Amino acid sequence: LSVSLDPYLLTIAISNNNKINRILSLCPGASSTGATPSEEMNGTGNLMDFLDEPFPDVGTYEDFHTIDWLREKSRDTDRHRKITTKSKESYWELIKSLLDAWSGWVVMLLIGMLTGTLAGVIDLAVDWMTDLKEGVCLSALYYSREQCCWTSNETTFDDRDKCPQWQKWAELMTGHSEGAGAYVLNYFLYVLWALLFSFLAVSLVRVFAPYACGSGIPEIKTILSGFIIRGYLGKWTLLIKTVTLVLAVSSGLSLGKEGPLVHVACCCGNLFCSLFSKYSKNEGKRREVLSAAAAAGVSVAFGAPIGGVLFSLEEVSYYFPLKTLWRSFFAALVAAFTLRAINPFGNSRLVLFYVEYHTPWYMAELVPFILLGVFGGLWGALFIRGNIAWCRRRKTTLLGKYPVLEVIVITGITAVLAFPNPYTRRSTSELISELFNDCGALESSQLCDYVNNPNMSRPVDDIPDRPAGPGVYSALWQLALALIFKIVITIFTFGMKIPSGLFIPSMAVGAIAGRIVGIAVEQMAYHHHDWIIFKNWCRPGADCVTPGLYAMVGAAACLGGVTRMTVSLVVIMFELTGGLEYIVPLMAAAVTSKWVADAFGKEGIYESHIQLNGYPYLDVRDEFTHRTLATDVMRPRRSEPPLAVLTQDSTTVEDVETLIKDTDYNGFPVVVSRESERLIGFVQRRELTVAIKTARQKQDGVVSSSVVYFTEDNPQVAEACDPQPLKLRRILNLSPFTVTDHTPMETVVDIFRKLGLRQCLVTRSGRLLGIITKKDVLRHMAQMMNQDPESIMFN
């Protein structure tokens, strides 16, 4: 096996001397410049360097193509070598080299600041617009309900969940806050606001930025693996995604803003990459920045900088060197600091549902924790299968032609069913916050309606008397209905043509289930405190069970079951709660949910959507165990035309131009002759196109009948008036990656994954047999898994 690390194989060396005289005679032989005929025939006399100023119609990579990681890496190495050499020539070049070295940190700083600012604005706007569906603040229209009550001096302790400055729409319009009429009016306006928000969101996405829909993480994973999707990280997508994300979350649909924030952060990263040629001209370096931007997105989404870095490493990134780890950490830190400075929640915290528990967990509680993990795995498998089936139906039926109607219908159903239940009416983040909270003296939630009788006598070794009150039992029924509602509606919501994240809905499902289990265990411990398991469990005078902890574990289990995250999930959850002692329950639930979900399918929701959309993504976690060889996969097949190749010294410029025009291949192998098929090297389509255009414009004597030479020796002109040959040895990759025809495909797949190849040539004893592209590998893998091999969207 040979690996090409030659940096500028597409370069044609030229002379920078602007005083070179043109050839005087019609035939290329006479020269008045002092240059020898061989120099002119070598093509080194007067060609421009087309790397810095490429032709406008010839891009580095076409849309929906994959990049060549080896080439991008070697180009950056050569660029860095040149800068280092020049830095020794003068102080100005030294300063330029230092600026180049610090440009990466500057980009990370800008990404963190912009991402944190956008996240803070989104949080503030979502809070205000979500509360706008129920009422308005009289003292200031732009205040959310919580902000309105902060400024009120009339709020009392008994009515701390109410404030006179905040009025519901029925009270504002009719003057009555109670009764059937007020309830119906509030109900109608709640549904109307939800429909308006969702209609605006889907309309903006459909008209201005179709790439702004969905969570964006499947596409981000594909882009970071080397795929080109032009416009997906553009400025217009960033603007529309930010606006429509606020509208979509405020509409009350079962979706979150955390996943789309990763897309927003990557758009910010792509925006700042365009300001520095170091990143704008190198797709490999650009993806290092995007990996760090993804970490910043998760950092502001959850207020978890370390968890964001681990999420980028574990779930999103394809290539994650140590340098990217440091810069990801810095970007996540700056983003979290910026969000903290904005303080969108007004509680000096980075997230809405920050909680602190003061009760330790006990070894016996691992049993319900593991059961919650099983539930999370089952929910993850159910959700993935149901959602993928619905999305496939959307793609293959008339339903996909009416995205606006689908969003309106789902929003209407969600709003109509959500309003009667207080746990589904409020925003999902507020629901999770209430389910996570431990019951204290200031809590007014139904979940904290426990019967406390201080005059009741009890033994010293008995547990505290905390029987559930009527409010708790009422809340349990409402939570059970909310659980069923969230499970069903989330399947149909994720994947619509609006920004839709999955983190918060999944956490809500797990938090509801966990809180129900936590209350059940708590009441069992109270009513059966004489059981041996509870005698060794509870300490006198202290709470034995913390239902909020069960909600947190359930949220982690369900999120892990859907996304298959493990390490980053646990870190994010303990950063949310601020408690290190609950890592073991979280780890147990996360691992259990992954095991259970993997039993029904190895792919998480993001990998499933990548596969559904046919993106060319080679997952490093997949195993290829089939006993096939390279000769079984390579092209051309027996029924196909022969491989399109170039010869080293017998192809004319016209032949090359015709080949480029008639085919859409990314490159062409170069052989000694069509009879011998001995492989010389590989030339990229772009370099070949630009080299010929440059030679026709800048080099005299190059015409359609000129012979293109890839040999090392100087071509000889037979007669004086023969057309001047064109030597393109400098753009030839002399060390293309090759394998023999008997190389196992398991090895070939591993090579494509780890080196990020675009293509690999197949030879036998130095004779070219065929070529294997990334598309061929993906098709073969799909065929081996009994899937449609033509579903891969590669070109």
Side-chain angles (χ1 to χ4, degrees):
L1 303 182
S2 61
V3 184
S4 170
L5 293 177
D6 296 336
Y8 284 106
L9 293 177
L10 63 162
T11 308
I12 297 180
I14 63 166
S15 170
N16 293 323
N17 186 2
N18 295 325
K19 298 182 180 180
I20 295 180
N21 297 319
R22 296 297 180 184
I23 300 176
L24 300 178
S25 63
L26 294 177
C27 297
S31 174
S32 63
T33 63
T36 63
S38 63
E39 287 176 343
E40 292 180 357
M41 289 183 289
N42 285 345
T44 61
N46 51 358
L47 292 179
M48 61 175 287
D49 185 353
F50 56 83
L51 269 181
D52 295 330
E53 298 180 4
F55 283 85
D57 59 334
V58 184
T60 305
Y61 295 105
E62 300 295 332
D63 199 12
F64 297 110
H65 281 61
T66 191
I67 71 171
D68 191 334
W69 284 96
L70 288 176
R71 174 186 164 192
E72 299 300 310
K73 174 67 175 176
S74 59
R75 285 183 63 190
D76 182 67
T77 302
D78 189 72
R79 182 196 63 83
H80 187 267
R81 187 185 299 114
K82 287 183 177 180
I83 291 176
T84 304
T85 303
K86 286 185 177 181
S87 65
K88 302 176 183 178
E89 298 176 357
S90 65
Y91 286 108
W92 172 240
E93 294 294 338
L94 177 61
I95 293 174
K96 288 172 63 176
S97 67
L98 293 176
L99 292 176
D100 179 80
W102 277 94
S103 61
W105 297 102
V106 173
V107 170
M108 296 303 122
L109 177 66
L110 296 174
I111 290 172
M113 293 176 64
L114 182 57
T115 302
T117 303
L118 290 178
V121 172
I122 289 173
D123 288 334
L124 291 171
V126 165
D127 287 345
W128 175 68
M129 295 182 66
T130 301
D131 291 336
L132 189 64
K133 293 187 300 182
E134 298 190 50
V136 68
C137 183
L138 298 181
S139 59
L141 295 178
Y142 52 86
Y143 276 174
S144 66
R145 178 171 182 171
E146 189 174 7
Q147 291 171 326
C148 188
C149 294
W150 286 342
T151 60
S152 176
N153 296 324
E154 304 174 30
T155 306
T156 62
F157 180 79
D158 293 333
D159 295 326
R160 55 191 177 276
D161 58 337
K162 302 176 183 178
C163 61
Q165 297 298 323
W166 176 267
Q167 288 191 2
K168 294 186 177 181
W169 291 112
E171 183 180 0
L172 184 65
M173 294 179 177
T174 64
H176 301 287
S177 59
E178 304 293 339
Y183 182 84
V184 171
L185 182 57
N186 286 329
Y187 200 155
F188 173 76
L189 290 175
Y190 178 91
V191 176
L192 190 63
W193 278 111
L195 291 173
L196 176 62
F197 291 159
S198 62
F199 175 75
L200 287 176
V202 68
S203 299
L204 288 173
V205 168
R206 182 174 175 80
V207 174
F208 295 105
Y211 280 154
C213 66
S215 72
I217 293 183
E219 287 77 13
I220 295 297
K221 286 172 66 74
T222 308
I223 290 173
L224 291 182
S225 72
F227 198 49
I228 302 288
I229 307 179
R230 302 203 183 280
Y232 196 84
L233 302 177
K235 305 179 185 66
W236 201 239
T237 302
L238 171 62
L239 176 62
I240 298 300
K241 185 112 184 182
T242 303
V243 174
T244 56
L245 179 57
V246 174
L247 292 168
V249 175
S250 303
S251 67
L253 287 166
S254 182
L255 49 83
K257 60 181 180 294
E258 283 66 24
L261 274 176
V262 176
H263 187 187
V264 169
C266 288
C267 288
C268 297
N270 189 64
L271 174 66
F272 291 121
C273 278
S274 61
L275 304 179
F276 299 87
S277 61
K278 175 180 178 180
Y279 299 106
S280 63
K281 294 184 178 180
N282 192 298
E283 294 292 342
K285 297 293 291 183
R286 186 196 299 266
R287 274 148 182 77
E288 294 181 18
V289 174
L290 297 181
S291 293
V298 177
S299 173
V300 295
F302 290 102
I306 301 175
V309 176
L310 293 177
F311 174 83
S312 179
L313 172 61
E314 178 184 4
E315 189 66 23
V316 178
S317 297
Y318 192 85
Y319 173 64
F320 204 84
L322 188 60
K323 179 172 59 177
T324 302
L325 178 67
W326 300 336
R327 292 181 175 175
S328 300
F329 182 80
F330 179 69
L333 172 66
V334 173
F337 178 79
T338 305
L339 184 63
R340 172 63 181 81
I342 296 175
N343 194 18
F345 304 114
N347 56 3
S348 299
R349 303 292 186 187
L350 294 177
V351 288
L352 182 61
F353 35 90
Y354 185 94
V355 292
E356 289 182 352
Y357 302 126
H358 305 286
T359 305
W361 64 277
Y362 302 91
M363 191 62 66
E365 288 183 286
L366 279 178
V367 175
F369 291 155
I370 291 176
L371 291 178
L372 285 173
V374 173
F375 171 79
L378 294 175
W379 147 249
L382 169 67
F383 173 80
I384 291 173
R385 292 196 176 187
N387 181 254
I388 293 299
W390 178 252
C391 290
R392 183 174 288 110
R393 183 175 181 82
R394 181 189 293 126
K395 290 171 69 73
T396 56
T397 62
L398 291 176
L399 180 65
K401 298 183 178 180
Y402 304 99
V404 178
L405 180 61
E406 181 191 9
V407 171
I408 293 297
V409 170
I410 297 296
T411 304
I413 295 174
T414 302
V416 168
L417 296 179
F419 186 85
N421 191 336
Y423 292 108
T424 54
R425 183 190 313 172
R426 69 189 65 183
S427 69
T428 312
S429 296
E430 292 178 352
L431 170 63
I432 296 174
S433 178
E434 182 172 345
L435 294 172
F436 278 12
N437 276 340
D438 197 9
C439 289
L442 299 179
E443 292 294 334
S444 59
S445 171
Q446 276 187 313
L447 292 170
C448 296
D449 184 23
Y450 289 94
V451 178
N452 292 313
N453 187 358
N455 297 323
M456 184 181 298
S457 60
R458 59 175 182 265
V460 177
D461 59 347
D462 198 3
I463 65 174
D465 292 319
R466 287 179 59 85
V472 174
Y473 289 109
S474 175
L476 284 177
W477 282 108
Q478 292 172 339
L479 285 177
L481 293 174
L483 178 62
I484 298 173
F485 170 72
K486 287 286 185 183
I487 287 176
V488 175
I489 202 66
T490 306
I491 292 176
F492 297 96
T493 302
F494 186 72
M496 293 194 302
K497 297 303 180 182
I498 54 175
S500 54
L502 192 60
F503 283 29
I504 290 297
S506 300
M507 292 177 65
V509 170
I512 294 172
R515 188 76 184 202
I516 294 174
V517 172
I519 293 174
V521 174
E522 180 190 46
Q523 293 306 302
M524 186 182 301
Y526 169 75
H527 291 291
H528 303 283
H529 56 270
D530 55 338
W531 288 4
I532 186 171
I533 184 175
F534 296 121
K535 279 187 176 181
N536 299 327
W537 184 346
C538 302
R539 296 177 299 172
D543 293 340
C544 292
V545 179
T546 305
L549 174 60
Y550 286 74
M552 184 181 71
V553 172
C558 283
L559 184 55
V562 171
T563 63
R564 311 299 165 84
M565 295 160 51
T566 51
V567 179
S568 57
L569 172 64
V570 173
V571 173
I572 288 173
M573 293 305 297
F574 91 71
E575 283 190 272
L576 288 180
T577 59
L580 288 173
E581 66 176 303
Y582 305 111
I583 285 184
V584 173
L586 291 171
M587 292 175 65
V591 170
T592 304
S593 67
K594 178 174 174 57
W595 284 344
V596 174
D598 283 347
F600 295 92
K602 295 293 184 182
E603 297 87 6
I605 184 65
Y606 301 129
E607 290 78 15
S608 298
H609 272 270
I610 287 174
Q611 187 175 346
L612 175 67
N613 293 326
Y615 295 139
Y617 183 75
L618 274 174
D619 197 342
V620 294
R621 291 173 289 189
D622 290 341
E623 294 183 1
F624 187 87
T625 57
H626 304 284
R627 299 179 63 85
T628 53
L629 302 177
T631 187
D632 302 323
V633 183
M634 70 177 188
R635 310 293 289 271
R637 307 288 171 81
R638 292 182 179 178
S639 59
E640 295 177 347
L643 195 65
V645 298
L646 299 174
T647 57
Q648 66 175 358
D649 55 7
S650 61
T651 307
T652 64
V653 171
E654 184 180 10
D655 295 335
V656 176
E657 291 176 334
T658 302
L659 184 64
I660 293 175
K661 181 180 178 181
D662 294 342
T663 63
D664 56 358
Y665 304 132
N666 291 326
F668 305 96
V670 178
V671 296
V672 174
S673 65
R674 298 186 183 276
E675 293 75 22
S676 67
E677 292 286 340
R678 295 286 179 182
L679 180 64
I680 299 297
F682 191 85
V683 61
Q684 295 286 343
R685 178 192 186 92
R686 174 186 180 269
E687 291 87 58
L688 199 58
T689 303
V690 177
I692 292 177
K693 284 189 175 183
T694 304
R696 279 186 175 274
Q697 293 183 6
K698 301 294 182 180
Q699 187 173 351
D700 292 331
V702 175
V703 293
S704 297
S705 58
S706 297
V707 179
V708 178
Y709 284 86
F710 294 98
T711 57
E712 187 174 1
D713 299 330
N714 297 328
Q716 300 296 326
V717 180
E719 298 180 7
C721 289
D722 283 347
Q724 180 177 333
L726 177 63
K727 185 175 180 181
L728 298 181
R729 176 80 171 185
R730 295 292 296 274
I731 71 170
L732 180 64
N733 182 356
L734 294 172
S735 56
F737 209 104
T738 60
V739 296
T740 65
D741 55 336
H742 283 81
T743 303
M745 274 306 298
E746 182 179 4
T747 304
V748 175
V749 171
D750 214 26
I751 291 171
F752 270 87
R753 282 177 181 155
K754 295 181 178 179
L755 295 181
L757 298 181
R758 297 181 82 188
Q759 67 276 322
C760 177
L761 300 177
V762 182
T763 61
R764 179 191 294 171
S765 302
R767 183 175 179 269
L768 179 66
L769 297 182
I771 187 172
I772 299 177
T773 64
K774 189 176 181 181
K775 180 180 180 180
D776 297 325
V777 173
L778 289 162
R779 279 178 167 176
H780 181 67
M781 294 179 67
Q783 194 172 7
M784 291 294 100
M785 293 184 289
N786 297 321
Q787 298 171 356
D788 182 14
E790 298 302 324
S791 63
I792 306 300
M793 182 187 67
F794 193 74
N795 289 329

